[in-house]
Amino acid sequence: MSPSSRQRARRRAGTGRHHAAHLDRWHRAAEIRDEWLRAALHTEPADRETAERAITGLYALLGRRRPRFHWAASPWQAVDLLDEPPIRLGGPVDPTAPWHVAHQLADVAHRLAGRLDERAGPAGTFWWTTERIARTRPPADALAAGVSLAELLVVGVRDSLDRSVHDGLRTPLRAALTEAVGEPPGLRWHGQHDAPWVAYHDVRRRLRPGLFHPDDDRQVDLWADIARSCGWWWPREDVCVVTERTGVAHTEALPGALHGEVRTHNRHGPAVGYADGWGGHAWHGTAVPAWVIEEPTVERIGAERNVEVRRCAIERLGWDAYLDQARLALVAEALDPGNPGCRLQLYELPQRVWGTPARVLLAVNGSVERDGHRRRYGLSVPADLDDPVAAAGWSYGLSGEQYARLLRRT
Amino acid sequence: MELTLEELTDRTGLTVLDHLERQVRIPVVDGLQAQGDLIVIPLAVLDDVEVPARARWRPVPPSGVELLRGAAGGNPHTLVAEPGAAEWTTEVRDRQRLAVGVLRATRPAYLIHPEHGGSGIAPGTYLVRRQRERSTQRGQADFLVAD
């Protein structure tokens, strides 16, 4: 037995008392995580005084004086206040550029994270066996099965908040900003949407007071104050553009989540938005353009290139409404080979709507969704196909006779 | 012996979504089978596909070969097999231009996907293909489905 596996065996053989203590600390960690998730979803106006004081504290770490603060209602408006040349990647960093301060700050944050990880131990290194357990079993089971508290914090705090906040909130905002202004000016921080990394370190130090050096604790406090008090911010030479907090943030529980993960979803407007009305849209966790939620039409669906966006738009409209509004005529239907009890339906697509002759094949997924239903989905197929089985075959480069031999679909 | 989805995920360390039935046995099939936007086709069924004699075959490791990822970057289709059970090559000429690669298995191999679960593939040689859609915009070629 290698020293490391002996160590793991000892840990697994740990007494019930140790397990209970770890479980208590895990419950505390989950409370702090949820506190941070609420901060990321916060929709009250920014606490400007706290934000300005904390950002000034970070500038002081760089030996710089308090910048002027420009407050913007949303990231979209913030971009307007930033009049700066594009950042060149790969070249030497220009110390006279207005965003040089942001480079320095990134360096400070990077070194801080390095020191904190050094003090807390290498929690990010997993054994593949325990990682699988940590990611697939409820926390109490995972601890009982030998997952360490440190590993559980990575999965249950850092990754959980990454999923909810980065993937959930930041992604639709970033997509909307890119759509509105092109690639947004880089080197920014995300305030409340930086909760994941701040929370991870905050949890570790609150579980083990004194873990970090007092200077580092003070710096974590600054980042934490910012994440609790404002939205996205762009530190620049002598000036800092700071965004208000989100005015709306609609989420739903991520089905099957073990660590309180949420996903963005709003069928009536922006899922994440600001008081000025600007925001990003999402359909059950998928970032989508505004029209998908606000004004899904058969024409737009027909013109949309991204199949995932098209799926969301049709689901928003509803398949039945879509078929009705698009006035699609059923050409033929047949049982789907390999997918017992499910039908393939071939519909005519009117050329005046879709611009080119085509038909749509409506099929049913081979596996159930999280809600227990099977998703119906549509695929465009060539207009000269009359047989749904041949149309399904065509989508895989097969003839109807070949596809008819399908034994199983999942 | 057919594995259950639970046994398969335990052996490979890969995960599937919680709502899938884990105790269900995964049939090992020697014919056509589809897993979402991928399909596994016995090579003998096809006459428009050719694997060059000089193609390099790589063993399919127990940790798996990731064949294709979904649109949002997640949800990969992963091909797994016991050590020495299967080989994989991407050097294949497919007139339909839908080939992902060719699998040559002497013992069962499996495709795993977080939403679609597992597909068992019997010993044999198979082409794995993607799914396509006809573009509804004039002048554009067909495009590949990414679910």
Side-chain angles (χ1 to χ4, degrees), chain A residues 132 136 256 302-303 310 354-356 367-370 379-380 394-397 402 407-408 410, chain B residues 10 13 15 17-19 29 32-34 36 39 45 116 118 129 131-134 136-138 146:
Chain A
R132 184 175 54 73
T136 54
R310 213 162 58 222
W354 291 73
T356 181
S367 14
V368 292
E369 300 289 300
R370 290 172 164 121
L379 293 174
S380 309
W394 174 88
S395 76
Y396 293 109
Q402 288 169 333
L407 298 175
R408 186 166 186 253
T410 55
Chain B
D10 276 355
T15 53
L17 299 180
D18 290 333
H19 68 280
V29 167
L32 275 90
Q33 53 182 330
I39 193 165
V45 169
H116 297 291
R129 261 188 188 156
Q131 194 173 26
R132 68 180 163 188
E133 261 195 277
R134 171 58 40 103
T136 51
Q137 275 161 346
R138 200 181 294 278

mmCIF file of all heavy atoms in Angstrom, chain A residues 132 136 256 302-303 310 354-356 367-370 379-380 394-397 402 407-408 410, chain B residues 10 13 15 17-19 29 32-34 36 39 45 116 118 129 131-134 136-138 146:
data_model
loop_
_atom_site.group_PDB
_atom_site.id
_atom_site.type_symbol
_atom_site.label_atom_id
_atom_site.label_comp_id
_atom_site.label_asym_id
_atom_site.label_seq_id
_atom_site.Cartn_x
_atom_site.Cartn_y
_atom_site.Cartn_z
ATOM 1 N N ARG A 132 -15.387 11.829 -8.429
ATOM 2 C CA ARG A 132 -16.652 11.314 -8.946
ATOM 3 C C ARG A 132 -17.691 11.250 -7.822
ATOM 4 O O ARG A 132 -18.842 11.632 -7.996
ATOM 5 C CB ARG A 132 -16.439 9.931 -9.559
ATOM 6 C CG ARG A 132 -17.664 9.352 -10.202
ATOM 7 C CD ARG A 132 -17.339 8.036 -10.898
ATOM 8 N NE ARG A 132 -16.702 7.079 -10.011
ATOM 9 C CZ ARG A 132 -17.342 6.415 -9.038
ATOM 10 N NH1 ARG A 132 -18.627 6.612 -8.853
ATOM 11 N NH2 ARG A 132 -16.702 5.578 -8.262
ATOM 12 N N THR A 136 -21.253 13.397 -7.544
ATOM 13 C CA THR A 136 -22.487 12.672 -7.848
ATOM 14 C C THR A 136 -23.310 12.298 -6.616
ATOM 15 O O THR A 136 -24.425 11.840 -6.757
ATOM 16 C CB THR A 136 -22.176 11.370 -8.626
ATOM 17 O OG1 THR A 136 -21.213 10.625 -7.877
ATOM 18 C CG2 THR A 136 -21.623 11.673 -10.008
ATOM 19 N N GLY A 256 -31.896 18.484 -10.197
ATOM 20 C CA GLY A 256 -30.928 17.468 -9.790
ATOM 21 C C GLY A 256 -29.683 18.020 -9.135
ATOM 22 O O GLY A 256 -28.748 17.271 -8.874
ATOM 23 N N GLY A 302 -36.955 30.682 -38.455
ATOM 24 C CA GLY A 302 -36.474 30.162 -39.730
ATOM 25 C C GLY A 302 -35.125 30.719 -40.123
ATOM 26 O O GLY A 302 -34.336 30.057 -40.795
ATOM 27 N N ALA A 303 -34.843 31.950 -39.705
ATOM 28 C CA ALA A 303 -33.598 32.599 -40.102
ATOM 29 C C ALA A 303 -32.456 32.303 -39.124
ATOM 30 O O ALA A 303 -31.303 32.603 -39.419
ATOM 31 C CB ALA A 303 -33.809 34.116 -40.194
ATOM 32 N N ARG A 310 -32.714 28.171 -31.846
ATOM 33 C CA ARG A 310 -33.969 27.881 -32.535
ATOM 34 C C ARG A 310 -34.861 26.992 -31.665
ATOM 35 O O ARG A 310 -36.069 27.200 -31.562
ATOM 36 C CB ARG A 310 -33.641 27.176 -33.847
ATOM 37 C CG ARG A 310 -34.604 27.500 -34.956
ATOM 38 C CD ARG A 310 -34.024 27.160 -36.302
ATOM 39 N NE ARG A 310 -33.657 25.774 -36.433
ATOM 40 C CZ ARG A 310 -32.534 25.351 -37.022
ATOM 41 N NH1 ARG A 310 -31.697 26.233 -37.515
ATOM 42 N NH2 ARG A 310 -32.278 24.081 -37.116
ATOM 43 N N TRP A 354 -39.643 30.347 -45.227
ATOM 44 C CA TRP A 354 -38.298 29.858 -44.954
ATOM 45 C C TRP A 354 -37.300 30.239 -46.035
ATOM 46 O O TRP A 354 -36.112 30.044 -45.878
ATOM 47 C CB TRP A 354 -38.303 28.338 -44.767
ATOM 48 C CG TRP A 354 -38.992 27.929 -43.511
ATOM 49 C CD1 TRP A 354 -40.329 27.963 -43.282
ATOM 50 C CD2 TRP A 354 -38.388 27.456 -42.313
ATOM 51 N NE1 TRP A 354 -40.596 27.535 -42.004
ATOM 52 C CE2 TRP A 354 -39.432 27.203 -41.387
ATOM 53 C CE3 TRP A 354 -37.079 27.195 -41.917
ATOM 54 C CZ2 TRP A 354 -39.187 26.731 -40.105
ATOM 55 C CZ3 TRP A 354 -36.842 26.715 -40.651
ATOM 56 C CH2 TRP A 354 -37.890 26.494 -39.757
ATOM 57 N N GLY A 355 -37.796 30.760 -47.184
ATOM 58 C CA GLY A 355 -36.885 31.276 -48.206
ATOM 59 C C GLY A 355 -36.355 30.233 -49.148
ATOM 60 O O GLY A 355 -35.880 30.547 -50.212
ATOM 61 N N THR A 356 -36.429 28.992 -48.747
ATOM 62 C CA THR A 356 -35.888 27.947 -49.588
ATOM 63 C C THR A 356 -36.740 26.701 -49.394
ATOM 64 O O THR A 356 -37.291 26.506 -48.306
ATOM 65 C CB THR A 356 -34.412 27.683 -49.226
ATOM 66 O OG1 THR A 356 -33.901 26.676 -50.086
ATOM 67 C CG2 THR A 356 -34.236 27.239 -47.797
ATOM 68 N N SER A 367 -34.224 9.838 -25.020
ATOM 69 C CA SER A 367 -34.096 9.808 -23.550
ATOM 70 C C SER A 367 -34.965 10.888 -22.925
ATOM 71 O O SER A 367 -35.262 11.899 -23.555
ATOM 72 C CB SER A 367 -32.631 9.985 -23.120
ATOM 73 O OG SER A 367 -31.834 10.443 -24.160
ATOM 74 N N VAL A 368 -35.336 10.635 -21.673
ATOM 75 C CA VAL A 368 -36.232 11.574 -20.994
ATOM 76 C C VAL A 368 -35.443 12.790 -20.503
ATOM 77 O O VAL A 368 -34.273 12.689 -20.175
ATOM 78 C CB VAL A 368 -36.967 10.932 -19.803
ATOM 79 C CG1 VAL A 368 -37.959 9.904 -20.289
ATOM 80 C CG2 VAL A 368 -35.987 10.341 -18.814
ATOM 81 N N GLU A 369 -36.123 13.925 -20.458
ATOM 82 C CA GLU A 369 -35.553 15.139 -19.878
ATOM 83 C C GLU A 369 -35.642 15.033 -18.360
ATOM 84 O O GLU A 369 -36.273 14.126 -17.830
ATOM 85 C CB GLU A 369 -36.361 16.366 -20.327
ATOM 86 C CG GLU A 369 -36.396 16.572 -21.810
ATOM 87 C CD GLU A 369 -35.067 17.033 -22.363
ATOM 88 O OE1 GLU A 369 -34.595 18.097 -21.948
ATOM 89 O OE2 GLU A 369 -34.496 16.311 -23.203
ATOM 90 N N ARG A 370 -35.062 16.018 -17.693
ATOM 91 C CA ARG A 370 -35.103 15.995 -16.225
ATOM 92 C C ARG A 370 -36.520 16.052 -15.688
ATOM 93 O O ARG A 370 -36.808 15.557 -14.620
ATOM 94 C CB ARG A 370 -34.315 17.186 -15.671
ATOM 95 C CG ARG A 370 -32.838 17.054 -15.880
ATOM 96 C CD ARG A 370 -32.207 18.350 -15.489
ATOM 97 N NE ARG A 370 -30.796 18.207 -15.302
ATOM 98 C CZ ARG A 370 -29.893 18.899 -15.991
ATOM 99 N NH1 ARG A 370 -30.272 19.752 -16.900
ATOM 100 N NH2 ARG A 370 -28.618 18.731 -15.753
ATOM 101 N N LEU A 379 -36.043 19.055 -37.219
ATOM 102 C CA LEU A 379 -34.843 19.127 -38.049
ATOM 103 C C LEU A 379 -35.271 19.472 -39.471
ATOM 104 O O LEU A 379 -36.192 18.855 -39.995
ATOM 105 C CB LEU A 379 -34.140 17.770 -38.114
ATOM 106 C CG LEU A 379 -33.496 17.169 -36.880
ATOM 107 C CD1 LEU A 379 -33.012 15.763 -37.200
ATOM 108 C CD2 LEU A 379 -32.326 18.037 -36.453
ATOM 109 N N SER A 380 -34.588 20.412 -40.094
ATOM 110 C CA SER A 380 -34.883 20.713 -41.496
ATOM 111 C C SER A 380 -34.284 19.625 -42.376
ATOM 112 O O SER A 380 -33.156 19.189 -42.137
ATOM 113 C CB SER A 380 -34.271 22.059 -41.887
ATOM 114 O OG SER A 380 -34.654 23.025 -40.959
ATOM 115 N N TRP A 394 -31.755 10.444 -43.867
ATOM 116 C CA TRP A 394 -30.956 11.475 -44.550
ATOM 117 C C TRP A 394 -30.130 12.277 -43.544
ATOM 118 O O TRP A 394 -28.977 12.618 -43.811
ATOM 119 C CB TRP A 394 -31.887 12.428 -45.335
ATOM 120 C CG TRP A 394 -31.127 13.570 -45.924
ATOM 121 C CD1 TRP A 394 -30.494 13.606 -47.140
ATOM 122 C CD2 TRP A 394 -30.867 14.837 -45.301
ATOM 123 N NE1 TRP A 394 -29.850 14.806 -47.303
ATOM 124 C CE2 TRP A 394 -30.058 15.591 -46.201
ATOM 125 C CE3 TRP A 394 -31.226 15.411 -44.076
ATOM 126 C CZ2 TRP A 394 -29.623 16.878 -45.911
ATOM 127 C CZ3 TRP A 394 -30.779 16.692 -43.788
ATOM 128 C CH2 TRP A 394 -29.990 17.408 -44.700
ATOM 129 N N SER A 395 -30.715 12.542 -42.363
ATOM 130 C CA SER A 395 -30.000 13.388 -41.397
ATOM 131 C C SER A 395 -28.702 12.728 -40.939
ATOM 132 O O SER A 395 -27.793 13.406 -40.468
ATOM 133 C CB SER A 395 -30.896 13.737 -40.204
ATOM 134 O OG SER A 395 -31.033 12.639 -39.329
ATOM 135 N N TYR A 396 -28.600 11.402 -41.091
ATOM 136 C CA TYR A 396 -27.360 10.695 -40.748
ATOM 137 C C TYR A 396 -26.653 10.165 -42.004
ATOM 138 O O TYR A 396 -25.785 9.301 -41.907
ATOM 139 C CB TYR A 396 -27.660 9.515 -39.827
ATOM 140 C CG TYR A 396 -28.159 9.887 -38.446
ATOM 141 C CD1 TYR A 396 -29.479 9.657 -38.070
ATOM 142 C CD2 TYR A 396 -27.295 10.450 -37.507
ATOM 143 C CE1 TYR A 396 -29.935 9.969 -36.800
ATOM 144 C CE2 TYR A 396 -27.744 10.764 -36.238
ATOM 145 C CZ TYR A 396 -29.058 10.520 -35.881
ATOM 146 O OH TYR A 396 -29.500 10.825 -34.617
ATOM 147 N N GLY A 397 -27.059 10.652 -43.180
ATOM 148 C CA GLY A 397 -26.418 10.186 -44.414
ATOM 149 C C GLY A 397 -26.813 8.768 -44.793
ATOM 150 O O GLY A 397 -26.054 8.071 -45.460
ATOM 151 N N GLN A 402 -31.891 1.790 -44.790
ATOM 152 C CA GLN A 402 -30.824 1.647 -43.785
ATOM 153 C C GLN A 402 -31.311 2.120 -42.412
ATOM 154 O O GLN A 402 -31.130 1.447 -41.407
ATOM 155 C CB GLN A 402 -29.579 2.436 -44.212
ATOM 156 C CG GLN A 402 -28.835 1.795 -45.377
ATOM 157 C CD GLN A 402 -27.765 2.719 -45.953
ATOM 158 O OE1 GLN A 402 -27.870 3.941 -45.871
ATOM 159 N NE2 GLN A 402 -26.735 2.119 -46.534
ATOM 160 N N LEU A 407 -31.875 -0.059 -34.268
ATOM 161 C CA LEU A 407 -32.306 -0.940 -33.185
ATOM 162 C C LEU A 407 -32.588 -0.184 -31.909
ATOM 163 O O LEU A 407 -33.390 -0.598 -31.082
ATOM 164 C CB LEU A 407 -31.219 -1.992 -32.907
ATOM 165 C CG LEU A 407 -30.895 -2.940 -34.062
ATOM 166 C CD1 LEU A 407 -29.736 -3.840 -33.687
ATOM 167 C CD2 LEU A 407 -32.120 -3.776 -34.430
ATOM 168 N N ARG A 408 -31.873 0.913 -31.707
ATOM 169 C CA ARG A 408 -31.999 1.596 -30.413
ATOM 170 C C ARG A 408 -31.673 3.073 -30.574
ATOM 171 O O ARG A 408 -30.742 3.432 -31.295
ATOM 172 C CB ARG A 408 -31.023 0.947 -29.413
ATOM 173 C CG ARG A 408 -31.166 1.465 -28.002
ATOM 174 C CD ARG A 408 -30.441 0.558 -27.008
ATOM 175 N NE ARG A 408 -30.703 1.004 -25.662
ATOM 176 C CZ ARG A 408 -29.801 1.629 -24.890
ATOM 177 N NH1 ARG A 408 -28.571 1.842 -25.331
ATOM 178 N NH2 ARG A 408 -30.115 2.029 -23.667
ATOM 179 N N THR A 410 -31.196 6.487 -27.945
ATOM 180 C CA THR A 410 -31.233 7.053 -26.586
ATOM 181 C C THR A 410 -31.085 8.549 -26.693
ATOM 182 O O THR A 410 -30.750 9.063 -27.752
ATOM 183 C CB THR A 410 -30.089 6.518 -25.700
ATOM 184 O OG1 THR A 410 -28.861 6.770 -26.354
ATOM 185 C CG2 THR A 410 -30.267 5.055 -25.446
ATOM 186 N N ASP B 10 -19.496 3.818 -12.783
ATOM 187 C CA ASP B 10 -18.528 3.496 -11.724
ATOM 188 C C ASP B 10 -17.184 3.098 -12.320
ATOM 189 O O ASP B 10 -16.134 3.480 -11.828
ATOM 190 C CB ASP B 10 -19.045 2.328 -10.870
ATOM 191 C CG ASP B 10 -19.997 2.826 -9.797
ATOM 192 O OD1 ASP B 10 -20.147 4.057 -9.677
ATOM 193 O OD2 ASP B 10 -20.593 1.993 -9.098
ATOM 194 N N GLY B 13 -15.674 6.374 -14.297
ATOM 195 C CA GLY B 13 -15.540 7.673 -13.637
ATOM 196 C C GLY B 13 -16.299 8.761 -14.372
ATOM 197 O O GLY B 13 -16.276 9.912 -13.971
ATOM 198 N N THR B 15 -19.799 10.636 -15.702
ATOM 199 C CA THR B 15 -21.067 10.832 -15.008
ATOM 200 C C THR B 15 -22.199 11.055 -16.000
ATOM 201 O O THR B 15 -21.990 11.496 -17.123
ATOM 202 C CB THR B 15 -21.003 12.063 -14.087
ATOM 203 O OG1 THR B 15 -20.569 13.184 -14.862
ATOM 204 C CG2 THR B 15 -20.035 11.855 -12.946
ATOM 205 N N LEU B 17 -26.517 12.447 -15.942
ATOM 206 C CA LEU B 17 -27.410 13.251 -15.119
ATOM 207 C C LEU B 17 -28.247 12.354 -14.206
ATOM 208 O O LEU B 17 -28.536 11.208 -14.536
ATOM 209 C CB LEU B 17 -28.304 14.115 -16.013
ATOM 210 C CG LEU B 17 -27.518 15.094 -16.875
ATOM 211 C CD1 LEU B 17 -28.458 15.926 -17.737
ATOM 212 C CD2 LEU B 17 -26.673 16.017 -16.013
ATOM 213 N N ASP B 18 -28.604 12.943 -13.067
ATOM 214 C CA ASP B 18 -29.225 12.151 -12.007
ATOM 215 C C ASP B 18 -30.579 11.565 -12.359
ATOM 216 O O ASP B 18 -31.007 10.600 -11.755
ATOM 217 C CB ASP B 18 -29.399 13.026 -10.755
ATOM 218 C CG ASP B 18 -28.062 13.323 -10.122
ATOM 219 O OD1 ASP B 18 -27.159 12.503 -10.302
ATOM 220 O OD2 ASP B 18 -27.933 14.373 -9.477
ATOM 221 N N HIS B 19 -31.270 12.190 -13.329
ATOM 222 C CA HIS B 19 -32.631 11.707 -13.565
ATOM 223 C C HIS B 19 -32.651 10.415 -14.384
ATOM 224 O O HIS B 19 -33.673 9.787 -14.519
ATOM 225 C CB HIS B 19 -33.462 12.791 -14.269
ATOM 226 C CG HIS B 19 -33.024 13.073 -15.661
ATOM 227 N ND1 HIS B 19 -31.944 13.875 -15.951
ATOM 228 C CD2 HIS B 19 -33.488 12.635 -16.846
ATOM 229 C CE1 HIS B 19 -31.794 13.930 -17.257
ATOM 230 N NE2 HIS B 19 -32.701 13.189 -17.823
ATOM 231 N N VAL B 29 -25.433 -3.941 -28.593
ATOM 232 C CA VAL B 29 -26.148 -4.078 -29.854
ATOM 233 C C VAL B 29 -25.151 -4.185 -31.001
ATOM 234 O O VAL B 29 -24.139 -3.487 -31.001
ATOM 235 C CB VAL B 29 -27.066 -2.825 -30.014
ATOM 236 C CG1 VAL B 29 -27.593 -2.718 -31.411
ATOM 237 C CG2 VAL B 29 -28.199 -2.866 -29.002
ATOM 238 N N LEU B 32 -27.484 -0.874 -35.993
ATOM 239 C CA LEU B 32 -27.502 0.589 -35.922
ATOM 240 C C LEU B 32 -28.074 1.062 -34.595
ATOM 241 O O LEU B 32 -29.097 0.537 -34.132
ATOM 242 C CB LEU B 32 -28.397 1.168 -37.026
ATOM 243 C CG LEU B 32 -27.793 1.384 -38.398
ATOM 244 C CD1 LEU B 32 -27.992 0.134 -39.227
ATOM 245 C CD2 LEU B 32 -28.431 2.587 -39.057
ATOM 246 N N GLN B 33 -27.439 2.036 -34.000
ATOM 247 C CA GLN B 33 -28.040 2.678 -32.834
ATOM 248 C C GLN B 33 -27.637 4.148 -32.772
ATOM 249 O O GLN B 33 -26.528 4.517 -33.144
ATOM 250 C CB GLN B 33 -27.704 1.955 -31.541
ATOM 251 C CG GLN B 33 -26.244 1.712 -31.293
ATOM 252 C CD GLN B 33 -26.060 0.932 -29.997
ATOM 253 O OE1 GLN B 33 -26.843 1.037 -29.060
ATOM 254 N NE2 GLN B 33 -25.003 0.125 -29.956
ATOM 255 N N ALA B 34 -28.603 4.963 -32.327
ATOM 256 C CA ALA B 34 -28.379 6.408 -32.283
ATOM 257 C C ALA B 34 -28.292 6.866 -30.842
ATOM 258 O O ALA B 34 -28.987 6.341 -29.964
ATOM 259 C CB ALA B 34 -29.520 7.136 -32.991
ATOM 260 N N GLY B 36 -28.593 10.503 -29.449
ATOM 261 C CA GLY B 36 -28.772 11.924 -29.755
ATOM 262 C C GLY B 36 -28.321 12.244 -31.166
ATOM 263 O O GLY B 36 -28.801 11.636 -32.122
ATOM 264 N N ILE B 39 -24.707 8.657 -34.505
ATOM 265 C CA ILE B 39 -25.241 7.333 -34.814
ATOM 266 C C ILE B 39 -24.083 6.371 -35.037
ATOM 267 O O ILE B 39 -23.029 6.770 -35.544
ATOM 268 C CB ILE B 39 -26.191 7.387 -36.040
ATOM 269 C CG1 ILE B 39 -26.997 6.094 -36.161
ATOM 270 C CG2 ILE B 39 -25.418 7.713 -37.321
ATOM 271 C CD1 ILE B 39 -28.181 6.213 -37.113
ATOM 272 N N VAL B 45 -22.841 -2.070 -43.502
ATOM 273 C CA VAL B 45 -24.097 -1.523 -44.017
ATOM 274 C C VAL B 45 -23.825 -0.455 -45.085
ATOM 275 O O VAL B 45 -24.668 -0.179 -45.939
ATOM 276 C CB VAL B 45 -24.901 -0.901 -42.845
ATOM 277 C CG1 VAL B 45 -26.076 -0.077 -43.336
ATOM 278 C CG2 VAL B 45 -25.371 -1.996 -41.899
ATOM 279 N N HIS B 116 -28.042 11.274 -22.506
ATOM 280 C CA HIS B 116 -28.578 10.131 -23.243
ATOM 281 C C HIS B 116 -28.205 8.797 -22.602
ATOM 282 O O HIS B 116 -28.654 7.753 -23.078
ATOM 283 C CB HIS B 116 -28.095 10.166 -24.694
ATOM 284 C CG HIS B 116 -28.572 11.360 -25.463
ATOM 285 N ND1 HIS B 116 -29.894 11.531 -25.814
ATOM 286 C CD2 HIS B 116 -27.929 12.455 -25.925
ATOM 287 C CE1 HIS B 116 -30.030 12.672 -26.478
ATOM 288 N NE2 HIS B 116 -28.852 13.260 -26.550
ATOM 289 N N GLY B 118 -26.088 5.416 -21.700
ATOM 290 C CA GLY B 118 -25.083 4.568 -22.322
ATOM 291 C C GLY B 118 -25.618 3.795 -23.511
ATOM 292 O O GLY B 118 -26.798 3.444 -23.569
ATOM 293 N N ARG B 129 -21.209 8.497 -37.006
ATOM 294 C CA ARG B 129 -21.520 9.686 -37.803
ATOM 295 C C ARG B 129 -22.264 10.720 -36.996
ATOM 296 O O ARG B 129 -22.993 10.388 -36.054
ATOM 297 C CB ARG B 129 -22.419 9.297 -38.985
ATOM 298 C CG ARG B 129 -21.693 9.122 -40.279
ATOM 299 C CD ARG B 129 -22.714 8.941 -41.399
ATOM 300 N NE ARG B 129 -22.052 8.578 -42.642
ATOM 301 C CZ ARG B 129 -22.653 7.933 -43.631
ATOM 302 N NH1 ARG B 129 -23.924 7.583 -43.535
ATOM 303 N NH2 ARG B 129 -21.987 7.651 -44.727
ATOM 304 N N GLN B 131 -25.076 14.049 -37.079
ATOM 305 C CA GLN B 131 -26.360 14.312 -37.715
ATOM 306 C C GLN B 131 -26.313 15.675 -38.393
ATOM 307 O O GLN B 131 -25.641 16.588 -37.917
ATOM 308 C CB GLN B 131 -27.456 14.310 -36.641
ATOM 309 C CG GLN B 131 -28.861 14.238 -37.194
ATOM 310 C CD GLN B 131 -29.897 14.068 -36.089
ATOM 311 O OE1 GLN B 131 -29.671 14.467 -34.954
ATOM 312 N NE2 GLN B 131 -31.025 13.489 -36.432
ATOM 313 N N ARG B 132 -27.005 15.805 -39.499
ATOM 314 C CA ARG B 132 -27.007 17.081 -40.226
ATOM 315 C C ARG B 132 -28.425 17.591 -40.395
ATOM 316 O O ARG B 132 -29.404 16.864 -40.216
ATOM 317 C CB ARG B 132 -26.362 16.911 -41.598
ATOM 318 C CG ARG B 132 -27.203 16.039 -42.509
ATOM 319 C CD ARG B 132 -26.575 15.856 -43.874
ATOM 320 N NE ARG B 132 -27.185 14.718 -44.558
ATOM 321 C CZ ARG B 132 -26.748 14.209 -45.689
ATOM 322 N NH1 ARG B 132 -25.685 14.718 -46.286
ATOM 323 N NH2 ARG B 132 -27.368 13.176 -46.244
ATOM 324 N N GLU B 133 -28.510 18.853 -40.771
ATOM 325 C CA GLU B 133 -29.777 19.493 -41.085
ATOM 326 C C GLU B 133 -29.636 20.227 -42.397
ATOM 327 O O GLU B 133 -28.562 20.733 -42.708
ATOM 328 C CB GLU B 133 -30.107 20.545 -40.019
ATOM 329 C CG GLU B 133 -31.057 20.096 -38.973
ATOM 330 C CD GLU B 133 -31.587 21.289 -38.199
ATOM 331 O OE1 GLU B 133 -30.900 21.737 -37.264
ATOM 332 O OE2 GLU B 133 -32.664 21.774 -38.550
ATOM 333 N N ARG B 134 -30.736 20.336 -43.139
ATOM 334 C CA ARG B 134 -30.731 21.138 -44.351
ATOM 335 C C ARG B 134 -30.829 22.607 -43.949
ATOM 336 O O ARG B 134 -31.659 22.970 -43.125
ATOM 337 C CB ARG B 134 -31.941 20.722 -45.207
ATOM 338 C CG ARG B 134 -32.271 21.561 -46.422
ATOM 339 C CD ARG B 134 -31.189 21.696 -47.451
ATOM 340 N NE ARG B 134 -30.360 20.554 -47.786
ATOM 341 C CZ ARG B 134 -30.504 19.819 -48.895
ATOM 342 N NH1 ARG B 134 -31.480 20.047 -49.726
ATOM 343 N NH2 ARG B 134 -29.680 18.844 -49.149
ATOM 344 N N THR B 136 -31.981 26.276 -44.050
ATOM 345 C CA THR B 136 -33.185 26.906 -44.596
ATOM 346 C C THR B 136 -32.856 28.257 -45.205
ATOM 347 O O THR B 136 -33.737 29.005 -45.575
ATOM 348 C CB THR B 136 -34.248 27.085 -43.498
ATOM 349 O OG1 THR B 136 -33.645 27.730 -42.393
ATOM 350 C CG2 THR B 136 -34.803 25.745 -43.070
ATOM 351 N N GLN B 137 -31.574 28.584 -45.257
ATOM 352 C CA GLN B 137 -31.195 29.846 -45.896
ATOM 353 C C GLN B 137 -30.594 29.572 -47.264
ATOM 354 O O GLN B 137 -29.747 28.704 -47.421
ATOM 355 C CB GLN B 137 -30.214 30.617 -45.012
ATOM 356 C CG GLN B 137 -30.970 31.439 -43.997
ATOM 357 C CD GLN B 137 -30.109 31.850 -42.824
ATOM 358 O OE1 GLN B 137 -29.024 31.330 -42.625
ATOM 359 N NE2 GLN B 137 -30.591 32.791 -42.065
ATOM 360 N N ARG B 138 -31.065 30.349 -48.227
ATOM 361 C CA ARG B 138 -30.663 30.145 -49.608
ATOM 362 C C ARG B 138 -29.136 30.187 -49.752
ATOM 363 O O ARG B 138 -28.484 31.045 -49.161
ATOM 364 C CB ARG B 138 -31.288 31.257 -50.465
ATOM 365 C CG ARG B 138 -31.362 30.940 -51.932
ATOM 366 C CD ARG B 138 -31.978 32.104 -52.671
ATOM 367 N NE ARG B 138 -33.396 32.320 -52.315
ATOM 368 C CZ ARG B 138 -34.402 31.627 -52.852
ATOM 369 N NH1 ARG B 138 -34.169 30.683 -53.729
ATOM 370 N NH2 ARG B 138 -35.643 31.878 -52.496
ATOM 371 N N ALA B 146 -25.806 20.096 -33.394
ATOM 372 C CA ALA B 146 -25.097 19.993 -32.105
ATOM 373 C C ALA B 146 -26.138 20.145 -31.022
ATOM 374 O O ALA B 146 -26.673 21.228 -30.837
ATOM 375 C CB ALA B 146 -24.034 21.080 -31.989
#
